[in-house]
Amino acid sequence: MEEKHISVLGSTGSIGTQTLEIARAYPHIKIRAMSARANIRLLEAQAREFLPELVCVTDEAKAAELKIKLADTPIKVVSGKSGLIEAARIDGADTVVTAVVGISGLEPTIKAIKAGKNIALANKETLVTGGHIVTKLAKENNVKILPVDSEHSAIFQSLQGCRDDREIKRILLTASGGPFFGKTRAELENITPGDALKHPNWDMGAKVTIDSSTLVNKGLEVIEAKWLFGVDIDKIKVLVHRQSIVHSMVEFVDNGIIAQLGAPDMRLPIQYALTYPNRLAMTKNELNFAEHPALTFEEPDTDTFFALALAQRAGREGGNLPAVFNGADEAAVELFLNGKIPYLAIADAIAEAMDKIEKINDPSLEEILETDKAAKEFVYRRQK
Ligand code: NDP
Ligand code: MG
């Protein structure tokens, strides 16, 4: 197989480690660069195994520690935001896997696209906050944005036979419903971080797990789908599908529906983004239909989980409003995980930030980053 060279931003996380698992299974996938925020224990082990040219630790002090630990190797250790950009732009890599959390993924992704890299996009916050900039740049630089998010990979896979986008009637975006599906607002009042970190079907990083429980994640995914597939927000229908077997579907103008199914396993969407348009064999996790006699679909409860409705509004209105939604959520999730605000305050904080932060049409990158800061500061101040 032809060699493939990749850079993995966020290699120590849930998506990052699964990306390396695929590279371990398929040694023609070579790792040129990798990054973490602070987990240098794991990053050192990964670096010694995969021997990239460069590793980045965004935390400066931890980067200095890792530099000493890797002194016996030729691996270059860089740090901070500039280091992350260096990892994103590294020579020789054709694809960058963006698996960092939050808006921190936006600038490195933009820089990678400008350097002509294809993007295997896990970091949905990139398209939510900067979709208009990123999709335009990708076109101009003739690079692909290949979805890693399981739903978007499913949509992408379902669209492989589609030759004309006008044939798409709507997208059916499935949602597991998270751990609190069916609960009332009153029942959610005393939810602790421990309760919210238990996802029924997927084992993911903390932020995306909390976002799944509030349906913020599904809201981010609606906006992500709008940019990836060029479909209006109102043509993206969210369906709660508790079993997470149907990963999403596309309905065409003739009412035919194509879906992608499989066991819940992120390795497939990650691998497909790295091997597209080819499919390579995968170990474990075959779907056994007999174990899933019922696949169910129902409407989401957007009164209780109104963050989904807020995201749909943000996606429809556009401008910097999705960046407000995203920044407010990042700050609120952090406060919730640190025991500073109750569970239900996450969506309340997002709603208030969306009303209070100044609206900007067609924001520049700087304006998006300023909006993010303003939304976060608003949420931090709000709880004092
Ligand atoms: P994790 O929290 O598991 O991992 C995040 C990775 O990014 C780690 O390597 C972490 O380093 C690093 N990181 C965290 N914050 C920063 C920062 N501010 N700057 C630089 N690096 C940082 O996250 P996930 O793997 O779950 O998610 C990554 C992205 O993929 C998210 O955007 C998420 O929404 C998306 N996604 C995840 C899915 C999943 O199944 N996990 C499914 C679909 C999408 P360290 O380990 O040192 O903290
Ligand atoms: Mg998803």
Side-chain angles (χ1 to χ4, degrees):
M1 264 178 283
E2 199 184 322
E3 282 191 358
K4 167 131 197 129
H5 296 262
I6 67 172
S7 166
V8 186
L9 308 184
S11 64
T12 53
S14 160
I15 296 289
T17 50
Q18 293 179 86
T19 304
L20 296 184
E21 220 179 293
I22 291 159
R24 199 173 284 127
Y26 287 105
H28 74 284
I29 300 174
K30 311 273 180 216
I31 315 291
R32 301 299 283 253
M34 41 175 67
S35 88
R37 178 184 47 187
N39 184 354
I40 55 169
R41 248 179 78 138
L42 181 55
L43 189 61
E44 181 188 356
Q46 292 178 338
R48 289 190 184 277
E49 179 182 356
F50 290 95
L51 298 173
E53 279 152 48
L54 179 134
V55 297
C56 168
V57 186
T58 43
D59 181 289
E60 306 279 351
K62 295 280 180 189
E65 259 183 68
L66 184 63
K67 207 170 190 162
I68 296 165
K69 288 178 189 289
L70 288 177
D72 62 317
T73 74
I75 301 167
K76 181 175 169 190
V77 180
V78 295
S79 64
K81 198 165 137 182
S82 64
L84 195 58
I85 289 171
E86 210 178 323
R89 293 172 43 90
I90 189 151
D91 276 346
D94 48 76
T95 300
V96 177
V97 180
T98 63
V100 296
V101 181
I103 198 166
S104 64
L106 178 60
E107 273 186 278
T109 305
I110 287 178
K111 294 287 176 6
I113 293 172
K114 286 186 173 166
K117 317 286 186 202
N118 293 319
I119 306 296
L121 184 120
N123 181 259
K124 58 195 94 189
E125 297 90 339
T126 292
L127 284 182
V128 170
T129 57
H132 58 298
I133 298 174
V134 169
T135 48
K136 186 163 170 270
L137 274 175
K139 258 198 205 105
E140 285 169 8
N141 288 278
N142 200 23
V143 305
K144 292 191 200 63
I145 300 182
L146 297 155
V148 166
D149 213 346
S150 58
E151 296 79 0
H152 304 75
S153 177
I155 295 161
F156 182 60
Q157 292 177 58
S158 301
L159 283 171
Q160 287 310 305
C162 175
R163 271 164 294 185
D164 185 341
D165 286 354
R166 287 171 302 185
E167 293 174 354
I168 302 171
K169 185 152 104 187
R170 53 181 186 164
I171 283 173
L172 304 172
L173 187 74
T174 52
S176 72
F180 309 133
F181 176 74
K183 296 228 183 297
T184 61
R185 227 178 129 73
E187 287 169 327
L188 295 177
E189 253 162 36
N190 298 317
I191 292 296
T192 64
D195 301 327
L197 285 170
K198 284 188 209 109
H199 193 279
N201 305 335
W202 300 96
D203 185 11
M204 310 178 285
K207 195 243 175 193
V208 60
T209 305
I210 301 297
D211 283 349
S212 296
S213 79
T214 54
L215 292 202
V216 161
N217 181 54
K218 209 46 56 181
L220 297 172
E221 291 184 357
V222 167
I223 305 174
E224 181 187 12
K226 163 184 142 160
W227 290 114
L228 279 171
F229 307 110
V231 173
D232 287 346
I233 293 288
D234 294 310
K235 286 187 170 179
I236 304 167
K237 183 171 173 51
V238 175
L239 273 180
V240 175
H241 166 52
R242 298 292 285 154
Q243 299 79 25
S244 297
I245 298 293
V246 175
H247 297 307
S248 277
M249 316 182 240
V250 180
E251 185 174 342
F252 294 91
V253 286
D254 58 2
N255 296 336
I257 297 173
I258 298 187
Q260 187 260 335
L261 287 75
D265 183 345
M266 285 308 296
R267 291 176 311 148
L268 166 59
I270 298 169
Q271 179 171 293
Y272 191 64
L274 296 179
T275 63
Y276 170 82
N278 304 311
R279 286 182 178 271
L280 300 188
M282 177 74 81
T283 56
K284 301 181 287 193
N285 277 350
E286 266 173 12
L287 177 63
N288 179 357
F289 272 103
E291 285 171 6
H292 301 277
L295 299 181
T296 58
F297 301 91
E298 34 200 320
E299 298 283 335
D301 170 5
T302 47
D303 292 328
T304 305
F305 299 96
F306 66 93
L308 175 57
L310 293 174
Q312 287 162 325
R313 190 188 125 206
R316 221 176 272 123
E317 289 181 29
N320 68 339
L321 203 55
V324 175
F325 177 91
N326 182 74
D329 175 63
E330 279 188 34
V333 168
E334 183 196 318
L335 292 175
F336 169 67
L337 285 173
N338 292 329
K340 303 265 172 57
I341 61 171
Y343 183 72
L344 289 173
I346 298 174
D348 293 341
I350 299 172
E352 286 173 31
M354 283 172 65
D355 287 338
K356 295 275 161 52
I357 306 295
E358 193 195 338
K359 307 281 179 308
I360 307 172
N361 287 322
D362 196 20
S364 64
L365 174 61
E366 290 67 35
E367 286 170 325
I368 293 167
L369 298 176
E370 279 161 22
T371 298
D372 177 68
K373 207 165 150 221
K376 285 177 175 156
E377 273 166 12
F378 173 82
V379 173
Y380 294 139
R381 270 201 314 274
R382 174 187 176 276
Q383 64 97 28
K384 280 193 186 136

